[in-house]
Amino acid sequence: MTPEDLKPLVRTIPDFPKPGILFRDVTTLMGDGEGFAAAVGMMADKVRACEGQAIAGIEARGFIFGAAIAAKLAMPFIPVRKPGKLPVPVLAIDYALEYGTDTLEVDPGAVADGSRIVLIDDLLATGGTALAACELLRRAGGIVAEALFLVDLPDLGGAERLRSAGVAVEALLDYPGH
């Protein structure tokens, strides 16, 4: 399979969560065994190419793709969690959302000092969550080698925001619009 073969496996839902938005639903790709395996394999190849040493995944769908890639490559997996989910002392970062703020947390013991980390998530929109995760991983002692996504929505500018923060960005698929 090629990335173009994967595109029809991502369902588009118009006007969700609000009018004018085209929601890109990757659960349909995950529900296709061959497509999911191909996506994980292609993403794993990109991790190998950038010489990553660990995978960090953003809760929740970043866990699905990130853990699968980490297992395929026999690499450590670092979960970047929503607040209150880790039973150990954590590093946390607050970041802005369109309407309010949110928080991400990581177990600093899960990040080897100086390790080259590839951040994984399913979709890149405005980049706010990914930027916060990169900063959190850096505070924990990691080097964010790359941020890798299944889907990029380039019209929303997230990839440019990450690149401006010194993070290399790749995605298997991109879709125009919101």
Side-chain angles (χ1 to χ4, degrees):
M1 292 187 100
T2 68
E4 283 303 308
D5 295 327
L6 298 178
K7 271 191 144 176
L9 300 177
V10 175
R11 175 173 45 195
T12 299
I13 301 169
D15 299 320
F16 183 84
K18 61 185 183 180
I21 301 294
L22 293 172
F23 184 81
R24 305 301 178 171
D25 180 13
V26 302
T27 62
T28 48
L29 181 142
M30 293 185 305
D32 182 287
E34 184 180 343
F36 183 55
V40 167
M42 288 179 220
M43 291 174 86
D45 290 343
K46 291 182 180 297
V47 171
R48 271 191 213 97
C50 77
E51 300 179 356
Q53 297 171 310
I55 304 292
I58 300 173
E59 191 169 345
R61 287 175 302 275
F63 283 12
I64 295 166
F65 287 94
I69 294 163
K72 184 173 185 67
L73 298 175
M75 285 184 174
F77 178 74
I78 304 163
V80 178
R81 303 294 316 257
K82 294 180 180 174
K85 304 284 186 172
L86 293 168
V88 297
V90 298
L91 288 177
I93 189 167
D94 295 325
Y95 64 101
L97 297 171
E98 188 175 351
Y99 301 104
T101 61
D102 207 348
T103 303
L104 292 175
E105 296 180 343
V106 69
D107 172 1
V111 179
D113 197 38
S115 63
R116 290 178 52 81
I117 298 168
V118 179
L119 180 68
I120 303 286
D121 207 0
D122 67 320
L123 187 134
L124 176 60
T126 63
T129 303
L131 279 168
C134 289
E135 177 60 27
L136 188 59
L137 293 163
R138 288 171 173 162
R139 286 184 192 172
I143 298 165
V144 180
E146 183 167 275
L148 176 59
F149 303 89
L150 176 65
V151 172
D152 180 22
L153 304 177
D155 294 346
L156 297 180
E160 287 309 312
R161 286 182 69 198
L162 284 163
R163 288 184 186 110
S164 293
V167 179
V169 180
E170 285 197 70
L172 288 186
L173 311 173
D174 61 65
Y175 294 87
H178 300 63

